[in-house]
Each structure stands twice: as structure tokens, then as C-alpha cells.
Amino acid sequence: MAVMTMQEKIQQKDPENVVPEEDDEESPIEQVRLTVSNDDDPSLPVWTFRMWFLGLLSCALLSFLNTFFSYRAEPLVITMITVQVATLPLGRIMARVLPTRKFKIRSWEFTLNPGPFNMKEHVLISIFANAGSAFGNGPAYAVGIVDITKAFYFRNISFLAGWILVIATQVLGYGWAGIMRKYVVDPAEMWWPSSLVQVSLFRALHEKEEGKSSRGKFFLVVLACSFIWYIVPGFLFPTLSSLSLLCLAFPKSVLAQQIGSGMHGLGIFSFTFDWATIASYLGSPLVYPLFSIVNVIVGYVAIVYILIPISYWGLNLYNAKNFPLFSSDLFNAQGQVYNITAIVNDKFELDKVSYAKHGHIHLSMFFAVTYGLNFAAVVATLTQVALFNGKEIYQRFRATFKGKPDIHTRLMMKYKDIPSWWFHVTLALSLALSLVLCIFMKDQVQLSWWGLLLAAFLALIFTLPISIITATTNMSPGLNVITEYIIGMIIPGYPIANVCFKTFGYMSMSQAVSFLQDFKLGHYMKVPPRSMFIVQLIGTILGGTINMGVAWWLLNSIKHICQPDLLPPNSPWTCNSDRVFFDASVIWGLVGPKRIFWGDYIALNWFFVGGAVAPILVWLLHKTFPSQSWIKLINIPVLLGATAAMPPATTLNFNSWIVFGILFNFVIFRYTKKWWQRYNYVLSAALDAGVALMGVVLFFCLSLENVNFSWWGTGGEYCDLATCPTAKGIFVDGCPLS
């Protein structure tokens, strides 16, 4: 049967909109022209046994591993790239060994092996995996609500309420995505730069191998080495995960340990031999482009090695010396860790009398400055994009209504589109499920039905502009701080209501943007849209269910999980990310921004103004000196947001990430480009996979059986004094009196 040409298909769909074929053979975006193929083979099978088996397996494994590792001191996020590389040889093996016999059930005929393992199958498997890693974020964001309720506030939440919370917040955004899809996926002007990285990797992996050293063999060798090595920092010699030379040289000096500690200080002469530490919080440095790494370096150095020392030792900002240099804990005025449970009443609300008795909550100087920088970065993103990309975005958005479909959109017209009612039903069901949670289980989540609808409304109105910004500039502003601020001002005193509102508002928008980004990847790879929708939806529900199941198991099986003071020495189950999530619930929800950011820390609100003005200054400088092209490369939101992951990320994470990023994406890329092109992403995936597998083995074979031993190499970083205050008259157990 002859396949209809593209021009014939267009003519059949819209006879009055036929344009000369030669005008439509290229995308109007140069980066897309250089990266994405203009060819398509609609006959390639996608609904194969291989796709379902490897896709569901990948989704389940990544959901389990990412939740499992999220509670550890150095969490490791296993991303889609690992699955992209690992499933290629598996798919090819299945194509060789599975029987080709055809089975028939009434009129339906199928086979376990329809031919060679193809790229479209591979894309769908990777989309499954991406859902299992919450689009690169690890476990579902809402799992953190369950964690802080049970492990930090020591209150009860049922498994059913937790499951509904996870699934509803993960799926709600897909309804918004369906409404926005025709504006930000189909138009060529909405090109989603980060999707091109995946396209490049898929095309590289499916090119014919040359020579004896295949990517598959290289992957297996590195995976084996990573797997074997991780037993050293993961069990035998944990001190190698964070080795501080200054702490070892000056065991009684608070100043030296503040400077030298990689976990609680500036990380000078601090090193790691643990890939989990390098890739924690920031992801693998091997997959970031050099310009991103350089922007992070500039912002990181300016904040950590210039602003922080001046603010702490020079200005003593916010009585900084009363508290540790680097900490995400909350303190009282005397430098002691604040007893949060003492200011929560029986109704899980703020006890105002007890709060007045215990005094105001204080933040470490670094934590306070971090919030200020977050304020500035959010506003700076909007200003920067408006000034430097506003005209371009406006023109491209107008082109979505005026412009003709590009080659890729025309090729996708060969496939059945997704009916609108699929998205509408998804939106209605997820919203109904959310309302059930907020009406019938309000005692567990505190959020009222009107709060849910307000959060959904915020997500809806922000999804389109943020999708457009992401699709054209690769910058994606978050709503987490804004949503916390809004609901904290409306209903202070309710910590779980605050984080639930934030999750419904911020995450449903974020999920929508991620969903649309994956759709654009499928668009470029010519994967049938209905297949993309079904795989993303099933993967999200499966992944969220496993996230919740693993979280529930760990929270109920590991004694004193998330309580470092009660855990055995050097225990990995410290839940650093959840600690920051918990502190946010206290700051924005329990106590409320009115008492903190309109109280002792009111000056931090000026960061909003600074964030709005800074890009204007850069823009004026650029207009004044247009010949100086480097000025336009100053990206204020990236510079301000360079340390957005701190805390819980530490200077050790950043320093090691920067070193490896420069090594692979500058040195190796520049001098051995062919090796980098062939093996860089494979190396990253193999290192991640090896650490993940050994981490699970160590847990089941040793940790569950309480197998441990003690020697100098299991003693941690040996920087105990790095967490000490330095102000005179402030005494903390284990610290010298200044």
C-alpha cells in the first residue's frame, strides 16, 4: 500500500492551505534543523511487547530507586538518560531472542518480536522512565508531605490520603497541558531547547556502531567498576565520601573547620571519591553544557566565597555568629535548635502562647540569604525574559496563530491526534479526587476546598506563560516560593495546608510543563501522540504508587529515620531534602511569613526589588555598549539561582560537580571530542546505575541485618566544630565557649 506524501496529506486535511512543498522542508529554528531528522517511517511498530516490558520495568525500578535514595544524606536521582543507555542493548537482545511467531485473538494479530528494536520504542521506554523519576526530580514532590507529617511532626496520615495526594498532584497538571498543547507543542517556534539534547542522544545511540569498542560494552564495564567501587565509600570507608584536609589538620579550630568542611562549611580543600556525592542534588555534571556550568560557577563563587564570608565574619548579618555558618535548621535566639514540636498544639496548628514563650524563630545567615536570593531570582526571571526575550517570545507566539506548520508538525499529521476529551476527563477526575481529599480527609491535609481551587487557578494561569518561556529560553521559573507566600499570608498557622497548597499550585504547573516537554520530544521523534499520552499517564500513576509504597515502607521500618540526633553515627538516613521541606512548612505555614518576613527578616523583601532591577541594569548596559557581546551573556536569574539547591546541597556537592563538569565538558570535549561524543552520556548513565545497584545491595544485605563495623574510616568528615556558633556567650553542647 503506497504511503501518502506529506503534501497530499496536507491537501486532504486543508485543501485551501497548500503551500509549495519546498518551503516546508526545513524548520525555521536553526538548532532544530541541525539536530532533528526530517524523515519518518510510520510503519515502525511502537506498541510492542518489548516497549511495555522494558518501559514498565524501567518506570518501576526508577520509582523505587529514586524514592529509596531520596532519604539518604547524599540522595541520587536516576534519570531518563540512564534508561536510554541501559535499555538499548536489552531491546536489541530481545529483538534477537524473542520468538517471531504471530498470535491471533479473533481479529487482533500480534507478535512478541515484530522486527529490529527501533527508535520509537526506545523513546516510549524512556518516557516511561521519565515518569518514574518524576521528570528528573526523583520521587513525586508530594511524598515530602507524608515524610514531614510522620517523621518530623510525628503526626498520622493514612496511606490512602498520601496516595491520593501524590497521584492527584502529579496528574492534575496534565489537564492544563492538554489545553495548552496546541500553543506550545505543535508550533515550530516553540522549540524546547532541552528536548534537542535527548534527540541528539537517541540519534547517537541508534547510529551504526563502528569499531570493536561498542557503547554497550563500555556501559557494562563502567557499570561493573562503579558497582564494585561504591562498596568502599558506601560501606567500608565512608570518610572518602567527604574528606576534609583542613578539619584533619586543625581538629580543635572552629574557624578552620568552618572553612574546610564540605558538609557544613566553605569546603576549601575538601574532596570526595563518591559518585553519589558528586551527582547528588545537582544531577550528573557530565550532561550539563559548558555555558550552564560557567554561569553556575560565577554565581556560586560570588555567593559562597564573597557574599557569605562578608555577611558572616564581616557584617555579622542577622546575628549570624549566634548560629552555624551553614545550616538549614531553625534556631532560637540563644543558638539552640528550635523545639518545633513544642509550638504545635493538639489541633496541629500554631500554639501562639507557646510560641511567645519560646521566642522568635531564627535562621542561619546562609539560609536567610538563600531565601532572599530565591525571591530575587523569581522576579529576575520574569524581568530578564521580558527584556531580552520578550520580543522574540511575542513574535513566536503570534506565529503560532499565523505561521504555517513546519515539516515536523506536518509529518505528525499522519497520526491520530489525541481527542480533547481525554485531557478533559483526566482534569475532571484528578480535580474530583483532589476535592475528595480536601473535603473528606481535611483533618489530615488541613487544606480546604477553596484553597485547592485557588492553587489550581494559580497553576492554570501560570502554565501557559511559563511553558512559553521554557519552550523558547530553556528557563523555567518556579511557583514554590510565591505559592508558599500567598497561602502563608492568608492562613498562617497551618503547616500541612501550606505545603499542600504549594504542591497543588507549583507541582501541577511543573508537571504540565514537563508533560509538554516530553510531548515535544515525541513530536520531534515522530511518536504517535496517543501512545505518548497513554505511556505518560500510566507511568505517572505507576511511579507515584511505587513512590508512596516505598516511602511508607521506609518510614515504618527504619527506626528514627530523618532524626540525625537519634540515628547511629554516620547513618545515611538523615533526609536532608525533607529537612528543608519541613523547615519551609514551619517558616511559611506554621509560623507564617507575616511573623518572619514581615518581622525580624523584613529586609529580605528588598530582594524582590533587587531581582526586578538587576536585569534592567544589564539590559541598559547592553544597549549602551551593543558591540560588547559578552554583556548579553550575563544571566541574572542563573547567577542568583546558582545556589538554589543549597541547602540541602553543600559546598562539597558543588565543588566536586564543578570540577567534573569542567573536566568532561571543557577539557575532554575540547581535546578528545570524538571520545566525548561517543561515550560521555554512556559514562554518566553507567556511573549512576552502578552506584544505585550497589546502594540497594548494601541496604538489603547489610543495613537490614544491622551489619556494621567501626574504625577511623567510618567516622564521617571529622568536622564536628564546623556547626558551632562563634558569637561570645553562646554555648552549644560539644562546642568551645567563645
Side-chain angles (χ1 to χ4, degrees):
M1 179 178 175
V3 178
M4 207 180 305
T5 67
M6 179 185 65
Q7 189 71 2
E8 290 170 338
K9 190 72 173 178
I10 298 300
Q11 188 168 8
Q12 184 187 67
K13 281 182 171 279
D14 189 359
E16 297 180 359
N17 191 29
V18 179
V19 292
E21 188 170 350
E22 60 270 20
D23 292 341
D24 308 303
E25 288 303 319
E26 296 291 345
S27 169
I29 307 299
E30 182 180 6
Q31 293 90 333
V32 176
R33 292 198 300 270
L34 295 173
T35 308
V36 183
S37 172
N38 290 347
D39 299 320
D40 179 35
D41 182 0
S43 66
L44 290 177
V46 294
W47 291 108
T48 64
F49 171 77
R50 298 180 301 234
M51 187 279 290
W52 282 107
F53 177 79
L54 293 176
L56 291 170
L57 179 64
S58 299
C59 180
L61 277 175
L62 261 64
S63 302
F64 172 83
L65 291 172
N66 284 318
T67 310
F68 178 84
F69 276 95
S70 68
Y71 293 88
R72 296 167 68 89
E74 297 294 351
L76 182 68
V77 177
I78 314 298
T79 63
M80 180 173 79
I81 288 181
T82 301
V83 170
Q84 279 178 277
V85 176
T87 55
L88 180 62
L90 294 176
R92 288 176 173 169
I93 290 171
M94 292 179 75
R96 285 200 297 266
V97 302
L98 286 176
T100 58
R101 177 188 169 191
K102 292 185 178 180
F103 300 88
K104 192 169 184 179
I105 301 176
R106 295 184 178 179
S107 60
W108 180 41
E109 188 176 78
F110 70 96
T111 176
L112 297 178
N113 191 352
F117 183 65
N118 66 71
M119 200 183 302
K120 294 186 182 184
E121 290 177 276
H122 200 186
V123 172
L124 286 176
I125 291 168
S126 301
I127 297 300
F128 254 130
N130 211 24
S133 66
F135 298 104
N137 295 313
Y141 195 75
V143 170
I145 299 174
V146 179
D147 294 339
I148 66 171
T149 301
K150 291 179 67 67
F152 289 86
Y153 286 111
F154 308 106
R155 303 298 172 113
N156 291 322
I157 183 172
S158 68
F159 181 88
L160 178 61
W163 180 84
I164 292 175
L165 190 60
V166 169
I167 299 302
T169 53
Q170 292 293 97
V171 175
L172 183 61
Y174 293 177
W176 317 140
I179 298 170
M180 313 300 175
R181 188 168 64 101
K182 65 179 180 179
Y183 302 117
V184 291
V185 174
D186 293 343
E189 289 76 15
M190 301 292 134
W191 60 289
W192 297 86
S194 60
S195 294
L196 298 182
V197 176
Q198 303 298 330
V199 174
S200 298
L201 182 56
F202 276 118
R203 295 189 69 184
L205 291 174
H206 283 267
E207 291 174 354
K208 290 184 178 179
E209 294 281 42
E210 298 176 1
K212 296 180 180 180
S213 182
S214 71
R215 293 185 183 93
K217 291 178 182 177
F218 181 80
F219 176 81
L220 292 175
V221 170
V222 175
L223 185 147
C225 294
S226 176
F227 177 81
I228 294 169
W229 169 251
Y230 187 63
I231 196 174
V232 178
F235 179 70
L236 299 175
F237 201 165
T239 298
L240 289 179
S241 292
S242 179
L243 187 63
S244 174
L245 299 184
L246 285 180
C247 291
L248 295 176
F250 301 96
K252 296 183 180 180
S253 170
V254 174
L255 178 61
Q257 295 197 20
Q258 285 180 323
I259 294 173
S261 172
M263 302 299 290
H264 304 286
L266 299 182
I268 303 295
F269 298 120
S270 183
F271 307 95
T272 183
F273 297 89
D274 181 0
W275 178 255
T277 300
I278 296 168
S280 289
Y281 303 110
L282 301 171
S284 170
L286 276 63
V287 302
Y288 278 77
L290 181 63
F291 78 89
S292 294
I293 296 172
V294 172
N295 270 305
V296 168
I297 291 173
V298 174
Y300 170 72
V301 170
I303 294 167
V304 172
Y305 295 115
I306 298 176
L307 177 62
I308 297 306
I310 291 174
S311 301
Y312 188 86
W313 287 292
L315 302 176
N316 193 27
L317 188 66
Y318 292 121
N319 296 316
K321 294 182 181 180
N322 287 17
F323 317 110
L325 171 67
F326 180 95
S327 177
S328 60
D329 285 327
L330 306 177
F331 301 92
N332 62 22
Q334 290 72 45
Q336 310 298 316
V337 174
Y338 205 99
N339 184 5
I340 301 299
T341 55
I343 61 172
V344 183
N345 64 22
D346 294 338
K347 296 180 179 179
F348 206 170
E349 302 165 0
L350 177 68
D351 187 327
K352 296 178 182 178
V353 175
S354 182
Y355 181 69
K357 176 183 176 182
H358 284 79
H360 293 183
I361 282 178
H362 295 266
L363 314 177
S364 71
M365 183 276 306
F366 184 86
F367 203 12
V369 170
T370 296
Y371 267 118
L373 292 170
N374 282 336
F375 295 164
V378 169
V379 181
T381 299
L382 301 177
T383 309
Q384 177 96 11
V385 170
L387 292 173
F388 288 94
N389 305 96
K391 185 177 180 180
E392 175 190 16
I393 291 173
Y394 176 70
Q395 290 173 343
R396 288 182 174 176
F397 187 61
R398 286 189 64 190
T400 65
F401 298 97
K402 291 184 175 182
K404 58 183 179 292
D406 73 337
I407 178 67
H408 305 294
T409 299
R410 289 173 178 266
L411 288 172
M412 289 300 290
M413 289 178 179
K414 296 176 181 177
Y415 303 100
K416 289 182 178 180
D417 199 8
I418 304 171
S420 297
W421 67 265
W422 286 20
F423 291 106
H424 298 154
V425 168
T426 301
L427 176 60
L429 289 177
S430 56
L431 196 57
L433 194 62
S434 304
L435 286 169
V436 167
L437 178 71
C438 294
I439 293 172
F440 298 103
M441 303 180 189
K442 185 186 174 184
D443 59 322
Q444 299 182 61
V445 298
Q446 297 186 331
L447 188 64
S448 299
W449 63 268
W450 60 264
L452 167 66
L453 295 181
L454 176 59
F457 176 72
L458 287 173
L460 175 61
I461 62 174
F462 274 100
T463 296
L464 182 59
I466 289 178
S467 296
I468 294 171
I469 291 170
T470 309
T472 54
T473 69
N474 208 35
M475 295 162 52
S476 187
L479 298 180
N480 50 331
V481 173
I482 298 300
T483 50
E484 289 172 323
Y485 213 133
I486 290 172
I487 196 66
M489 293 295 290
I490 297 174
I491 50 167
Y494 298 89
I496 302 304
N498 188 279
V499 291
C500 285
F501 182 90
K502 172 177 68 171
T503 305
F504 275 110
Y506 163 54
M507 277 314 296
S508 62
M509 181 280 298
S510 178
Q511 286 288 104
V513 174
S514 299
F515 185 87
L516 291 166
Q517 182 168 299
D518 270 2
F519 249 103
K520 192 65 177 187
L521 174 61
H523 187 86
Y524 284 145
M525 303 304 295
K526 317 301 181 294
V527 177
R530 295 188 179 193
S531 302
M532 290 288 297
F533 177 89
I534 293 171
V535 162
Q536 284 176 288
L537 186 61
I538 293 175
T540 300
I541 295 173
L542 174 63
T545 301
I546 294 175
N547 289 159
M548 185 60 201
V550 174
W552 198 260
W553 165 56
L554 292 175
L555 289 169
N556 289 285
S557 62
I558 298 177
K559 191 175 182 181
H560 303 311
I561 189 171
C562 305
Q563 301 173 59
D565 294 340
L566 300 177
L567 286 166
N570 212 38
S571 172
W573 304 105
T574 55
C575 314
N576 292 355
S577 296
D578 287 324
R579 166 62 60 180
V580 176
F581 197 80
F582 166 71
D583 290 343
S585 75
V586 174
I587 293 168
W588 299 104
L590 184 65
V591 178
K594 192 176 294 185
R595 292 185 177 90
I596 295 179
F597 293 108
W598 289 93
D600 295 336
Y601 297 90
I602 190 171
L604 291 178
N605 288 287
W606 285 104
F607 276 85
F608 284 113
V609 179
V613 171
I616 297 175
L617 298 178
V618 176
W619 182 77
L620 291 174
L621 196 63
H622 167 64
K623 291 297 181 182
T624 306
F625 304 100
S627 60
Q628 302 296 319
S629 58
W630 62 269
I631 297 176
K632 198 174 181 180
L633 298 177
I634 301 174
N635 193 311
I636 296 297
V638 174
L639 297 181
L640 293 173
T643 56
M646 300 176 70
T650 64
T651 53
L652 179 65
N653 299 129
F654 269 84
N655 291 343
S656 55
W657 184 88
I658 288 169
V659 168
F660 275 80
I662 293 295
L663 174 63
F664 280 91
N665 292 300
F666 176 70
V667 179
I668 293 177
F669 179 80
R670 182 171 183 177
Y671 296 105
T672 57
K673 187 171 291 186
K674 287 186 177 179
W675 187 96
W676 185 95
Q677 183 179 17
R678 189 177 183 84
Y679 295 115
N680 182 68
Y681 292 125
V682 181
L683 176 64
S684 174
L687 289 170
D688 283 352
V691 169
L693 292 175
M694 178 54 79
V696 174
V697 169
L698 290 175
F699 175 76
F700 283 105
C701 296
L702 300 175
S703 298
L704 281 182
E705 301 297 326
N706 292 318
V707 177
N708 56 71
F709 65 102
S710 179
W711 69 292
W712 176 84
T714 61
E717 191 186 26
Y718 293 99
C719 296
D720 296 339
L721 300 184
T723 58
C724 291
T726 56
K728 292 183 179 180
I730 300 296
F731 176 73
V732 174
D733 287 342
C735 295
L737 186 63
S738 299

